[in-house]
Amino acid sequence: MPQSKIVRKRGSVMAVTATAEVLFMPTGPVGRFSNTLSNRVTAATRGFAPRNSRPTWGHEPAAHGRSLKRSFTSSSATRGLRIYTAVGSSSKYSAFVDQGTGIYAGNSPWEATILPPGAVGSPSLYEHTWIPSPKSGKRVGTVIIKGQHPQYFFSRGLTAGLRSVHIATATMPGTSLAGAVDTFPEELASHVTAATEPEIAFLASLTEWRRWRDEAWSRHDPLGHGGARTAEHQRRADAQGLRVQAQRARRAAAKPSPEQRTADNRRRQAKRRARLKEAKTTVNTRSQQKIAERARFLHAAIEKYGARVDPSSLEFRSGYWYIEVLERVVARPGGPTLLLPREIRGRKIG
């Protein structure tokens, strides 16, 4: 209930009213803290939850956008001066993934009833009641399952969420929490469910898996399990072995003898030396031709043009020697005679 107090100080009178109920309103400090705690616990649990690495089938919640990570929800409630927080999942299999199954949950291994295919369209469905050959009347081999490791993402997410709001956590013996468990809000426990049922959507998936398996069986394709290998699978394995042996025999027959390899190597070395010799001869001949043509071209230019030849302009470009000579040019009739450089070219080399 509200508490009021009159304060008188130096000529002033103040009335102070404290309402404790405001603290526990949805928009009050305790309500905002509860919402923050719930959101952080949910986010932390999503971070610790595993991802699904196998195919998602049509009957599973993940096929409709309801994956395990998106199925978590948290809730907080106040009872007196205590705040209770719970985290759970709307997925029916969440408790099995969290707590583990089989030998990891204190139980024994068990015989598998149905194992879904490993990929879409795969004929690797295992069904313990399937009889491959009606003549033999024998069922497929037994598959023993040990179970799956526990993930403990609920407790890890709850601990991380509490720590994020600076609440220390500790693992205590169960007897020390007996009083707290007695007053735990029952509505929070409804967030955790774990049950599997052969519903209509699962039966539709099972019908599709059986169709993939039966079609592969009619084609004599291997079904992916050792106990269900067909005669066609064994025949293909034997044929593959024969093909490998024949290929090895052909390679051995085509492999040259040591004497033949030595002779082939000698012929390759002789051809290589001949190519190197030809290239060296070509280079030497071209160099000699270049030197001889330079001397001839310079001598012929001086003999023809005399002092008008500029020896410093001698240049070799694109297989030709070039040199500049001064040539008399009349700019206009009756005008002066000018000497302008003109480039002449020698003979082609190579």
Side-chain angles (χ1 to χ4, degrees):
M1 58 181 295
Q3 298 291 331
S4 301
K5 184 178 180 180
I6 303 299
V7 179
R8 296 181 175 87
K9 189 175 182 181
R10 294 187 178 183
S12 61
V13 179
M14 295 177 290
V16 180
T17 302
T19 305
E21 289 81 355
V22 177
L23 296 175
F24 297 92
M25 293 179 64
T27 58
V30 178
R32 293 196 302 269
F33 176 81
S34 300
N35 294 335
T36 301
L37 178 59
S38 299
N39 293 335
R40 293 192 178 185
V41 169
T42 302
T45 306
R46 289 175 179 173
F48 288 115
R51 294 184 179 274
N52 188 12
S53 58
R54 63 174 181 78
T56 299
W57 304 111
H59 69 281
E60 297 178 349
H64 306 283
R66 300 190 302 272
S67 62
L68 179 62
K69 286 182 173 290
R70 298 182 58 184
S71 67
F72 298 128
T73 179
S74 302
S75 181
S76 300
T78 58
R79 292 289 178 84
L81 298 179
R82 292 179 178 178
I83 296 180
Y84 297 90
T85 300
V87 58
S89 170
S90 59
S91 297
K92 297 180 180 180
Y93 62 90
S94 60
F96 300 130
V97 182
D98 180 74
Q99 300 298 317
T101 58
I103 62 175
Y104 305 103
N107 300 319
S108 302
W110 73 95
E111 180 182 351
T113 302
I114 293 176
L115 294 178
V120 176
S122 173
S124 58
L125 166 68
Y126 171 80
E127 191 174 9
H128 75 293
T129 58
W130 184 53
I131 300 177
S133 177
K135 295 182 180 180
S136 63
K138 296 181 180 180
R139 298 181 179 181
V140 294
T142 302
V143 175
I144 301 299
I145 299 178
K146 296 181 180 180
Q148 62 179 349
H149 293 269
Q151 302 292 329
Y152 300 126
F153 47 82
F154 282 128
S155 60
R156 295 167 67 187
L158 185 61
T159 301
L162 292 173
R163 289 179 179 176
S164 67
V165 293
H166 308 290
I167 296 179
T169 60
T171 302
M172 303 294 291
T175 55
S176 64
L177 297 179
V181 172
D182 293 340
T183 59
F184 189 86
E186 295 295 334
E187 64 272 11
L188 297 182
S190 63
H191 293 293
V192 180
T193 60
T196 54
E197 299 177 357
E199 52 190 13
I200 297 177
F202 173 76
L203 296 178
S205 297
L206 181 59
T207 302
E208 187 177 27
W209 299 340
R210 288 172 176 171
R211 179 174 57 82
W212 297 342
R213 180 195 61 194
D214 296 342
E215 290 177 354
W217 176 260
S218 62
R219 296 192 304 266
H220 302 284
D221 291 343
L223 303 182
H225 291 284
R229 287 185 179 179
T230 61
E232 177 67 13
H233 177 67
Q234 188 62 39
R235 185 191 68 79
R236 292 181 181 183
D238 296 340
Q240 178 66 16
L242 294 176
R243 286 194 295 269
V244 171
Q245 294 179 3
Q247 186 179 19
R248 290 177 179 175
R250 289 194 300 269
R251 290 178 178 177
K255 187 176 182 180
S257 62
E259 294 79 7
Q260 185 177 359
R261 289 198 299 269
T262 301
D264 293 340
N265 186 44
R266 288 177 179 175
R267 285 194 296 269
R268 287 194 296 270
Q269 293 295 333
K271 292 181 180 178
R272 180 174 178 272
R273 288 193 295 269
R275 289 195 302 269
L276 293 176
K277 183 177 180 181
E278 181 181 359
K280 184 177 180 181
T281 302
T282 302
V283 171
N284 292 338
T285 302
R286 181 177 175 83
S287 301
Q288 294 173 0
Q289 291 179 356
K290 182 178 178 181
I291 296 173
E293 172 60 18
R294 181 182 184 279
R296 185 205 66 80
F297 178 57
L298 182 60
H299 177 73
I302 294 175
E303 184 177 1
K304 182 176 181 179
Y305 297 100
R308 290 185 293 162
V309 176
D310 183 8
S312 62
S313 65
L314 186 62
E315 182 182 6
F316 185 79
R317 299 195 308 268
S318 303
Y320 294 92
W321 283 103
Y322 293 88
I323 197 171
E324 292 183 355
V325 297
L326 297 177
E327 187 178 40
R328 294 185 178 88
V329 178
V330 179
R332 59 180 180 276
T337 302
L338 303 177
L339 295 177
L340 299 178
R342 180 173 67 90
E343 193 175 57
I344 61 175
R345 186 180 70 180
R347 297 174 182 173
K348 177 69 176 180
I349 297 178

